[in-house]
Amino acid sequence: MDDVNQAPPEPQWPVAAASRIRFKCIHGEKVNEPTFCRLFYNASKETIDLVPADDVNVDARAVYDDNDTGIEDDLTYQSYLASMKDADRRVIDSFHLTDVIGADLSLECNSQNPNTFHGMERYSSSASINIYSYPKMKKGKACSDGGKRSPCHKRYAIDSRGCEDFGDVRRIVAAIRRLSSSQHNITINNKPIRYLVILNPFSGGGGVNSKTGAKYVYEKMLNPMLEQIGIEHDALMTLREGHARDRMKIRLSRSAKESEGSTDERSHHNENNCTINTDTESKDISEYNAIIAMGGDGILFEIMQGIHARADEKELFAKLKFGIIGCGTSNGLAKSILHWSGENYGPLESIFQICKGSTAPLDIASYQLANTSKTYTSFLTFSWGLIADCDLESECIRWLGSLRQDIWAVYRGILCRKKYRARLSYLPPNSAGGVTGEVNSTEFGKPLSNKWVTIEDDFIVFWACNVSHAAHNMYNCPMAKMNDGMFHILVVRGSCSRIRLLEMLLKLESGNHIHCRDLEVIDCVAYRLTPLSENSYNDLDGELIESGPIQAHIIPFGAQFFAGKMKE
């Protein structure tokens, strides 16, 4: 195909534009720095550096395009090229591109602005560029790893001399976005990208106004950061159990009247002085580009089951991106994604990954029960036995937060020990160590093929894991990857002594329980569990589901989640 009519590719850094525009630093301790500066791209360090300009006469400057060879005779351009090669150049300020989520040009009408340059006083406006940066910080200083992210934005005032129509400035801003991988496609097919944010205001147990709760995190972090990257969104604060699941139902029209019950719920919402809701619940979720869940893993579980109930489930999973911001008690998936991305745990880190815009596929799973025709979609874990008892029976002391599960583990696992008999059949992964497509489990009532392995025994722990962390403080499956194409089933048999079980539980937070000799790890792409003892729970992604025989198969690359670069 002839490419003659295609636009030339954008330069990695617009050298000509950067050589013409001068800035002053107007943030932090550098606000009183009198020196005029220019921005330089340091490819080896992946930084943008603010370097003092060594030219004085800026009034008689010609305007060139980056591709115009005539610029080579410009003294300012030649000076800029010389500074690019100077390894010892003085750097006034700097920011790392991997920490940037966005950049923009800001125009302000303020004739009294103290940062207005000489010669601009006759204008009632000033201009600057804003860089939205969230570096990792440790003891108040930026660090490459190990620290928590913190806002550290940059603002540089633009010298109007040599800046005719802000075209050069826009090239610089576009290059910063591009180099920081923050060049969000804010439109697709000429339609603006739009996210749906669903938050549970009561997640975490601290109340609606808790500073760790979803409402606070949305108002103070997510909403401002989405504005910084220019992404539009609708927000829905759930008002009842099942609200997020019901929001996933098909909407046949954009008319708000067709959202049954939504008018009454919004009225109730306003009466309680909660002003976050901007979602009329009239748009079908297929009109969005991403769904962001704020709360614990339960809010995402509702969303997944709502999508699973739709006839266009596969199309939606192929189209939509998903984000999870941990504001609940356990936050297993949020912690796992941050762990795989090499980030510390926290809501700001999760929002940062969402704003950077890159995604990675997550293996999900399909579950089927023998006693009902109901099926489920899972993203986290399935537990039966001790772990399920700790998760579900400890709800009576939920006010203790994540400590409730530790207390119940001692009670149920050590003091009032219980064994659970079951038959486990599983299908091992192929010789490639995983699967390349969806594995369909054999229907209940039909015999399994000879490829399946069957075990019948007394168990204490049965824990099928998709992720590395079942909770933010529970490193239950260190070997799990985001898309390794298999379950990792942790099994502890009834023969394990109390002291060895206690040893495993104490090592669960660090992940060292994996090395305990009474713990078995079974890798498989499908399994069937048939309980043979009474009074046991089926716990799927932290939620109680119907009891009885259950089977599951993995769905490789089943959903796209916002995530950073995966660690090896």
Side-chain angles (χ1 to χ4, degrees):
M1 182 178 178
D2 190 1
D3 295 332
V4 69
N5 293 323
Q6 294 187 2
E10 289 285 343
Q12 190 175 33
W13 179 249
V15 175
S19 72
R20 288 190 288 266
I21 303 300
R22 306 199 311 174
F23 300 92
K24 270 191 177 180
C25 190
I26 55 173
H27 64 263
E29 298 177 355
K30 309 291 195 330
V31 69
N32 295 318
E33 175 63 55
T35 309
F36 288 106
C37 301
R38 289 193 173 86
L39 291 175
F40 286 77
Y41 169 48
N42 189 327
S44 61
K45 295 182 179 180
E46 294 187 352
T47 60
I48 300 294
D49 300 331
L50 190 69
V51 177
D54 57 5
D55 58 310
V56 178
N57 181 17
V58 296
D59 295 319
R61 184 173 305 146
V63 177
Y64 298 96
D65 182 78
D66 278 348
N67 297 317
D68 192 336
T69 56
I71 197 173
E72 295 177 358
D73 298 326
D74 184 75
L75 295 179
T76 302
Y77 180 72
Q78 292 176 359
S79 173
Y80 187 90
L81 292 180
S83 295
M84 288 177 64
K85 299 174 183 178
D86 183 6
D88 298 322
R89 65 189 180 220
R90 180 187 170 209
V91 176
I92 296 290
D93 196 27
S94 181
F95 58 89
H96 205 289
L97 289 160
T98 58
D99 299 327
V100 172
I101 65 169
D104 60 35
L105 168 63
S106 174
L107 301 175
E108 296 182 357
C109 295
N110 183 2
S111 59
Q112 303 301 318
N113 190 336
N115 296 307
T116 300
F117 292 115
H118 174 72
M120 291 178 65
E121 290 85 354
R122 64 183 181 275
Y123 300 108
S124 61
S125 64
S126 62
S128 61
I129 63 171
N130 301 302
I131 313 298
Y132 303 110
S133 178
Y134 294 85
K136 293 181 178 180
M137 306 289 286
K138 187 181 291 184
K139 295 182 179 179
K141 294 183 179 180
C143 60
S144 59
D145 55 25
K148 295 277 291 180
R149 292 200 179 272
S150 180
C152 187
H153 306 322
K154 309 291 184 178
R155 191 178 183 199
Y156 305 127
I158 302 165
D159 184 1
S160 64
R161 294 169 291 182
C163 180
E164 294 192 348
D165 61 357
F166 295 110
D168 284 339
V169 180
R170 289 189 172 91
R171 292 187 188 97
I172 293 171
V173 169
I176 292 172
R177 290 174 178 169
R178 185 168 56 250
L179 289 166
S180 65
S181 301
S182 299
Q183 186 70 19
H184 286 269
N185 293 320
I186 58 175
T187 61
I188 295 179
N189 297 327
N190 295 321
K191 293 179 62 178
I193 282 182
R194 198 168 194 88
Y195 293 174
L196 175 60
V197 178
I198 301 180
L199 55 147
N200 176 6
F202 300 102
S203 59
V208 175
N209 297 316
S210 167
K211 290 190 176 182
T212 59
K215 180 176 180 287
Y216 182 89
V217 172
Y218 171 82
E219 293 176 332
K220 301 298 183 181
M221 299 183 195
L222 179 62
N223 189 38
M225 291 174 72
L226 288 178
E227 288 182 0
Q228 290 167 4
I229 63 174
I231 295 293
E232 298 178 359
H233 73 281
D234 294 326
L236 172 67
M237 181 184 288
T238 59
L239 304 174
R240 54 180 169 77
E241 184 179 352
H243 195 172
R245 181 183 62 248
D246 292 342
R247 179 61 184 90
M248 300 298 106
K249 291 180 180 178
I250 293 176
R251 296 329 195 236
L252 300 178
S253 169
R254 296 190 181 189
S255 170
K257 294 180 181 180
E258 298 204 9
S259 180
E260 183 178 353
S262 63
T263 302
D264 293 338
E265 286 184 347
R266 286 196 301 276
S267 298
H268 174 74
H269 172 85
N270 292 331
E271 288 172 2
N272 285 279
N273 297 318
C274 298
T275 58
I276 284 180
N277 274 11
T278 58
D279 176 29
T280 63
E281 302 190 49
S282 58
K283 285 184 183 177
D284 188 69
I285 61 168
S286 62
E287 297 183 50
Y288 292 97
N289 303 96
I291 296 178
I292 311 300
M294 299 186 68
D297 294 307
I299 192 75
L300 184 60
F301 184 79
E302 283 195 19
I303 291 170
M304 289 292 186
Q305 306 325 309
I307 294 175
H308 177 59
R310 292 177 54 136
D312 58 349
E313 173 190 9
K314 289 186 178 180
E315 290 81 1
L316 287 174
F317 275 120
K319 174 187 184 293
L320 291 171
K321 299 175 182 178
F322 295 90
I324 177 73
I325 302 168
C327 304
T329 303
S330 298
N331 307 319
L333 183 59
K335 170 63 177 179
S336 296
I337 291 177
L338 291 171
H339 168 73
W340 290 322
S341 302
E343 295 280 348
N344 274 313
Y345 169 71
L348 181 62
E349 282 74 11
S350 294
I351 298 170
F352 178 80
Q353 298 298 336
I354 291 169
C355 290
K356 288 295 275 187
S358 62
T359 61
L362 175 73
D363 293 338
I364 58 178
S366 176
Y367 278 80
Q368 178 185 359
L369 291 126
N371 299 333
T372 176
S373 59
K374 197 170 184 179
T375 57
Y376 293 90
T377 295
S378 167
F379 56 89
L380 196 67
T381 66
F382 170 81
S383 61
W384 176 83
L386 174 63
I387 302 301
D389 287 357
C390 291
D391 188 24
L392 298 171
E393 292 180 352
S394 66
E395 284 289 331
C396 61
I397 53 171
R398 190 177 184 84
W399 53 274
L400 287 173
S402 57
L403 183 62
R404 67 186 173 93
Q405 295 173 340
D406 298 334
I407 293 173
W408 217 263
V410 173
Y411 166 72
R412 176 60 71 197
I414 308 299
L415 300 179
C416 298
R417 183 183 169 112
K418 186 177 177 181
K419 297 180 183 180
Y420 312 80
R421 190 160 190 85
R423 183 184 306 112
L424 168 64
S425 300
Y426 64 91
L427 182 63
N430 59 27
S431 57
V435 290
T436 57
E438 182 176 332
V439 176
N440 293 313
S441 300
T442 305
E443 294 181 9
F444 278 113
K446 293 186 178 180
L448 301 171
S449 72
N450 56 11
K451 294 181 180 179
W452 290 67
V453 178
T454 298
I455 302 169
E456 183 175 324
D457 205 342
D458 291 327
F459 298 95
I460 298 174
V461 172
F462 180 92
W463 207 355
C465 307
N466 288 59
V467 297
S468 60
H469 291 75
H472 68 89
N473 59 348
M474 199 175 292
Y475 194 15
N476 57 301
C477 196
M479 73 288 295
K481 305 299 181 184
M482 194 167 179
N483 41 54
D484 56 12
M486 65 182 82
F487 297 106
H488 305 277
I489 303 179
L490 310 185
V491 169
V492 177
R493 305 206 189 200
S495 57
C496 178
S497 67
R498 283 180 169 82
I499 190 67
R500 287 178 180 169
L501 179 61
L502 178 61
E503 179 188 4
M504 274 186 273
L505 295 174
L506 291 174
K507 293 181 176 180
L508 194 56
E509 185 172 354
S510 66
N512 289 326
H513 63 290
I514 291 298
H515 307 297
C516 295
R517 65 180 183 179
D518 286 296
L519 179 71
E520 301 173 51
V521 180
I522 298 172
D523 293 337
C524 62
V525 295
Y527 71 89
R528 176 186 292 176
L529 179 70
T530 304
L532 301 175
S533 58
E534 299 295 329
N535 301 321
S536 62
Y537 301 109
N538 285 340
D539 181 352
L540 186 61
D541 296 349
E543 302 295 326
L544 176 65
I545 61 172
E546 296 83 354
S547 60
I550 190 169
Q551 64 184 21
H553 63 266
I554 204 78
I555 305 175
F557 309 102
Q560 290 287 330
F561 274 80
F562 290 106
K565 185 178 180 181
M566 294 294 102
K567 297 192 302 181
E568 295 297 330

